[in-house]
């Protein structure tokens, strides 16, 4: 690492570590995390590559925030409170100060919003596309981590918020779908560009859930992971899947895109199973967050999707496959 990079860390990144004693202002070899007795550390990491996971012309602050948010969503899915993160970046030598400053301001915004600090990382230069990787650390009281395994036959299947906005929002954002209503277009493309990880619900998940995950690969795929890990099957009713009003508007004119609601990715909502229907609806009221029952856990394996008549809708691909 050249002298320039030490300066870059001091100028751009060390301020993001201020306020976290164990980060030592990013001047030591490593950071120190000291969980309270009775807490476990939960770790998740995510990497994005320029030209693959983002185009390269997005504002750098939005790239930074989305990078953090996809992992914040994983922490929520595990029932953990966001705590701190490290950042590994491979950037071209030509990267501008303007880009870096914008990237750092996006990190700062979401540090404030989600009460996390930067505590370390690594910086390298590359002749290829930028590679950005964040590792998030969360805290959870011992025994309160929510796993994919744990769903039992008879449990209800619940989702937070609305489903399908990630995939449909991408189509609006990239111009392949046009919405006459500009406010609706902004709303749904914003759901793709800057997802809202359900951290507050995540903290309460262990109160009600037998199993849970975040919806990042598509509802069917993520539910299939829960079913497989739990050794059960799942059944959802397509008509019960909650849609936002922009999504309903899009589907009214593009009914052929209906499958994307459950197979598209990038919703960053939570899906979980629970036998405590009343407690789930109390929690929804308390948090002011819609939580909808979309189906139930059944015997067997795999995920069945039913139409409003109770007939099975065939789905070949369960969800988005990673490139
Ligand atoms: P080492 O050579 O021991 O791996 P570095 O010189 O790479 O350490 O890093 C020095 C310090 O700066 C470390 O505390 C490291 O965590 C921090 N750091 C390096 N790059 C970043 C980054 N992109 N974001 C945050 N902290 C960083
Ligand atoms: Mg290093």
């Amino acid at each position: 690492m050249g002298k320039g990079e030490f300066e870059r860390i001091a100028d751009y990144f060390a301020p993001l570590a201020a306020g976290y004693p164990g980060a030592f202002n990013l001047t030591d070899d490593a950071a120190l995390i000291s969980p309270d007795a009775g807490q476990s550390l939960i770790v998740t990491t995510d990497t994005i590559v320029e030209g693959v996971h983002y185009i390269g012309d997005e504002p750098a602050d939005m790239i930074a925030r989305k990078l953090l948010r996809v992992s914040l969503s994983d922490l929520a899915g595990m029932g953990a409170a966001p705590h701190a993160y490290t950042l590994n970046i491979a950037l071209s030598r030509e990267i501008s100060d303007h880009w870096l400053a914008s990237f750092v301001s996006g990190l700062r915004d979401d540090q404030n919003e989600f009460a996390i600090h930067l505590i370390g990382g690594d910086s390298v230069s590359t002749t290829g596309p930028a590679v950005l990787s964040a590792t998030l650390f969360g805290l959870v009281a011992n025994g309160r981590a929510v796993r994919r395994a744990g769903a039992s036959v008879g449990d209800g299947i619940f989702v937070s918020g609305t489903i399908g906005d990630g995939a449909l929002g991408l189509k609006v954002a990239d111009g392949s779908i046009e919405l006459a209503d500009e406010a609706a277009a902004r709303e749904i493309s914003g759901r793709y560009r800057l997802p809202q990880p359900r951290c507050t619900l995540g903290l309460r998940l262990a109160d009600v859930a037998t199993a849970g995950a975040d919806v990042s690969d598509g509802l069917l795929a993520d539910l299939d992971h829960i079913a497989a890990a739990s050794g059960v099957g799942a059944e959802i009713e397509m008509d019960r899947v909650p849609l936002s009003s922009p999504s309903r508007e899009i589907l009214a004119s593009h009914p052929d895109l209906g499958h994307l609601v459950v197979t598209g990715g990038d919703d960053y909502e939570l899906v979980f199973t629970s036998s405590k229907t009343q407690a789930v609806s109390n929690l929804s009221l308390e948090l002011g967050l819609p939580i909808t029952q979309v189906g139930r856990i059944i015997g067997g394996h795999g995920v069945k999707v039913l139409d409003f008549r109770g007939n099975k809708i065939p789905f070949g691909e369960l969800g988005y496959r990673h490139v």
Side-chain angles (χ1 to χ4, degrees):
M1 187 161 85
K3 180 168 181 293
E5 296 213 63
F6 282 113
E7 280 165 1
R8 179 183 279 179
I9 291 164
D11 292 349
Y12 289 98
F13 294 111
L16 296 174
Y20 193 99
F24 311 121
N25 287 319
L26 307 184
T27 56
D28 219 312
D29 288 322
L32 181 71
I33 302 176
S34 316
D36 291 339
Q39 284 185 322
S40 304
L41 204 53
I42 297 257
V43 183
T44 179
T45 191
D46 201 70
T47 299
I48 54 177
V49 178
E50 177 184 7
V52 180
H53 302 96
Y54 67 100
I55 308 303
D57 61 355
E58 289 90 340
D61 56 334
M62 298 296 270
I63 296 170
R65 298 176 81 180
K66 190 156 182 182
L67 175 65
L68 292 180
R69 286 176 181 223
V70 298
S71 287
L72 287 163
S73 181
D74 282 321
L75 293 182
M78 295 294 292
H83 181 68
Y85 68 101
T86 59
L87 183 69
N88 286 17
I89 52 178
L91 295 173
S92 134
R93 289 189 194 282
E94 275 79 56
I95 199 80
S96 70
D97 287 344
H98 172 263
W99 191 95
L100 263 177
S102 169
F103 186 71
V104 164
S105 90
L107 295 174
R108 157 129 5 242
D109 285 344
D110 274 1
Q111 285 195 191
N112 293 338
E113 187 158 344
F114 296 98
I116 51 177
H117 287 95
L118 179 64
I119 61 168
D122 201 18
S123 309
V124 297
S125 62
T126 176
T127 53
V131 181
L132 310 169
S133 183
T135 300
L136 276 275
F137 300 89
L139 294 171
V140 65
N142 291 340
R144 275 179 63 91
V146 177
R147 304 280 317 277
R148 290 177 177 181
S152 311
V153 174
D155 285 352
I157 299 167
F158 299 85
V159 296
S160 63
T162 53
I163 299 297
D165 296 339
L168 296 175
L170 168 59
K171 292 207 171 284
V172 174
D174 73 12
S176 57
I177 290 181
E178 281 187 28
L179 263 178
D181 180 345
E182 262 180 49
R186 253 197 318 277
E187 182 189 329
I188 194 162
S189 58
R191 290 265 296 157
Y192 167 74
R193 289 205 173 97
L194 195 63
Q196 188 61 51
R198 299 302 184 186
C199 295
T200 313
L201 173 58
L203 286 181
R204 304 291 298 281
L205 215 48
D207 296 339
V208 292
T210 50
D214 77 319
V215 182
S216 53
D217 292 344
L219 179 59
L220 294 191
D222 291 308
L223 189 52
D224 192 48
H225 297 147
I226 289 177
S230 300
V232 294
E235 186 175 81
I236 68 166
E237 292 169 50
M238 197 66 182
D239 284 16
R240 291 225 236 167
V241 176
L243 302 177
S244 67
S245 60
S247 285
R248 265 185 264 118
E249 207 176 307
I250 290 169
L251 294 177
S253 48
H254 301 82
D256 52 308
L257 296 181
H259 67 283
L260 271 185
V261 168
V262 290
T263 60
D266 283 337
D267 286 318
Y268 302 107
E269 294 292 347
L270 298 182
V271 54
F272 62 93
T273 56
S274 176
S275 59
K276 302 175 180 169
T277 311
Q278 189 58 50
V280 171
S281 65
N282 293 347
L283 184 58
S284 167
L285 278 177
E286 183 192 330
L287 301 180
L289 174 67
I291 301 176
T292 309
Q293 183 170 357
V294 296
R296 66 202 69 78
I297 295 297
I298 56 178
H301 58 90
V303 182
K304 253 196 281 187
V305 185
L306 306 178
D307 67 14
F308 67 98
R309 292 194 185 86
N311 294 327
K312 197 173 160 190
I313 306 175
F315 275 92
E317 265 301 288
L318 273 181
Y320 176 79
R321 300 278 172 225
H322 286 281
V323 287

